[in-house]
Amino acid sequence: MKFTVSHKTEYQYRTPASESYAELRLCPQTVGHQVVKKQSLTINPEVETEQYTDFFGNRVQYFSIPYRHESLRITSRAEVETSPVTMPELATEVTIAEARQIMTNRLQANYPFLQPTELVPLRQSIDPLKVTHLCKDSLTFGEAIVELNTWIFRNFKYKPGVTDITTPLPKIIKQRKGVCQDFAHLMLAILRTFRLPARYVSGYIEAYDPETTDPGLIGAAASHAWVEVALPGGHWIGLDPTNNQIASERHVKVAVGRDYRDVAPLTGTFKGATDQKLEVIVSVKRKKSK
């Protein structure tokens, strides 16, 4: 599938900012099942940008505005082609116990994705859930992680506005409500507690499939979040607990990390302004095949 992806961010300051600095993780990656054909970044006020690759392999663009400005507008556009994704055959053959044993050989490479973070606490935080999906060592690896994905989808309600990035995971578990980033953090906590490497993914998702009458996917109004689980053999598979599916050709991947803070679309600071108004508009449009 071919998509045109647009992510627009605008800050309006009540009083002018004297200077600003920001880092952006907005550009989709050419990796795995997707290829980026074109991409552009527009910033107003117009300034030069620099870039680097962070520890997790994400492309990071950054800039500074060293003078007074009343607003800041950032527009990222990309043309991306994606292909279908299926569960690798190895994941359907080995058991959870075998997969865990195989992946101990990649402990150093996967170490960051086994550790707790402030947003992804382990062990005691998930005790109230009494999760048993990953204790069934006789299940195949693929069956177990898909079963966990479905369990989160069925037991947690998608409800915007009841959480934000500072909401602790135990509260999300107690209220059984949240948004895609909450469900991703929950799934990471469970997988890592059971010593299965998993990472947070930020990106975009197509809301409605124009070729079917199926219900729309949740999380398309802004940046979306899902999880990638390490597979025996060194590959990763994406799982979207918000929509109960394997992340496939309707998912456009941007960045990966330990949790949301590693992949936030925009981070930075400004000086001088006393207040700000933020507006974010995300668009994912499928291009017609010729």
Side-chain angles (χ1 to χ4, degrees), residues 100 113-117 120-127 129 131 134-135 148 169 173 185-198:
R100 193 178 288 114
F113 307 116
L114 286 166
Q115 304 308 304
T117 70
V120 186
L122 307 186
R123 298 176 182 85
Q124 291 184 354
S125 66
I126 68 167
D127 282 349
L129 295 173
V131 179
L134 304 179
C135 297
L148 173 62
L169 187 59
I173 290 172
H185 286 147
L186 170 62
M187 191 168 189
L188 291 175
I190 295 171
L191 289 164
R192 291 178 190 172
T193 293
F194 285 90
R195 305 303 293 167
L196 295 173

Side-chain angles (χ1 to χ4, degrees), residues 168-215:
L169 187 59
K171 182 176 180 180
I172 295 163
I173 290 172
K174 182 177 181 179
Q175 65 188 17
R176 299 290 178 109
K177 298 175 184 177
V179 293
C180 57
Q181 68 188 25
D182 301 316
F183 305 152
H185 286 147
L186 170 62
M187 191 168 189
L188 291 175
I190 295 171
L191 289 164
R192 291 178 190 172
T193 293
F194 285 90
R195 305 303 293 167
L196 295 173
R199 62 193 185 188
Y200 187 103
V201 186
S202 69
Y204 307 105
I205 191 170
E206 181 189 38
Y208 294 96
D209 186 339
E211 299 179 358
T212 73
T213 57
D214 294 341

Side-chain angles (χ1 to χ4, degrees), residues 6-272:
S6 173
H7 187 137
K8 300 179 181 179
T9 306
E10 181 170 2
Y11 290 93
Q12 291 285 348
Y13 304 118
R14 179 174 295 179
T15 58
S18 59
E19 59 181 292
S20 298
Y21 172 83
E23 286 192 349
L24 312 174
R25 288 172 174 82
L26 293 171
C27 295
Q29 303 181 30
T30 293
V31 61
H33 75 291
Q34 70 182 36
V35 177
V36 178
K37 300 294 187 179
K38 293 181 182 178
Q39 57 186 210
S40 64
L41 181 69
T42 304
I43 300 172
N44 194 322
E46 187 174 347
V47 292
E48 292 187 0
T49 63
E50 301 288 344
Q51 68 177 36
Y52 69 93
T53 301
D54 70 14
F55 177 80
F56 303 106
N58 304 312
R59 179 183 176 189
V60 184
Q61 296 165 294
Y62 63 95
F63 65 87
S64 62
I65 305 174
Y67 50 81
R68 289 167 63 86
H69 52 286
E70 296 179 349
S71 63
L72 172 60
R73 289 184 291 277
I74 301 166
T75 303
S76 173
R77 293 187 177 90
E79 292 184 11
V80 183
E81 185 172 354
T82 64
S83 55
V85 176
T86 56
M87 186 72 72
E89 185 175 336
L90 181 60
T92 64
E93 295 176 346
V94 301
T95 65
I96 275 284
E98 291 169 336
R100 193 178 288 114
Q101 180 62 35
I102 291 170
M103 286 185 287
T104 57
N105 297 326
R106 292 184 54 83
L107 183 60
Q108 184 174 359
N110 292 328
Y111 183 80
F113 307 116
L114 286 166
Q115 304 308 304
T117 70
E118 184 178 353
L119 297 177
V120 186
L122 307 186
R123 298 176 182 85
Q124 291 184 354
S125 66
I126 68 167
D127 282 349
L129 295 173
K130 303 187 185 308
V131 179
T132 60
H133 306 80
L134 304 179
C135 297
K136 303 174 184 177
D137 286 349
S138 61
L139 281 180
T140 69
F141 182 75
E143 288 173 336
I145 60 176
V146 168
E147 186 176 302
L148 173 62
N149 198 55
T150 299
W151 182 85
I152 294 173
F153 174 78
R154 290 177 176 171
N155 287 275
F156 287 77
K157 181 180 180 181
Y158 182 86
K159 188 170 183 179
V162 299
T163 62
D164 58 36
I165 194 56
T166 65
T167 305
L169 187 59
K171 182 176 180 180
I172 295 163
I173 290 172
K174 182 177 181 179
Q175 65 188 17
R176 299 290 178 109
K177 298 175 184 177
V179 293
C180 57
Q181 68 188 25
D182 301 316
F183 305 152
H185 286 147
L186 170 62
M187 191 168 189
L188 291 175
I190 295 171
L191 289 164
R192 291 178 190 172
T193 293
F194 285 90
R195 305 303 293 167
L196 295 173
R199 62 193 185 188
Y200 187 103
V201 186
S202 69
Y204 307 105
I205 191 170
E206 181 189 38
Y208 294 96
D209 186 339
E211 299 179 358
T212 73
T213 57
D214 294 341
L217 298 181
I218 300 170
S223 294
H224 190 51
W226 60 96
V227 168
E228 284 185 341
V229 188
L231 300 175
H235 300 289
W236 298 79
I237 186 73
L239 293 164
D240 182 353
T242 304
N243 291 291
N244 191 27
Q245 61 179 237
I246 293 176
S248 188
E249 55 188 335
R250 294 173 67 190
H251 290 72
V252 176
K253 180 177 174 179
V254 173
V256 299
R258 295 163 298 181
D259 59 27
Y260 170 82
R261 288 177 179 156
D262 286 334
V263 303
L266 188 153
T267 57
T269 185
F270 60 88
K271 294 181 180 179

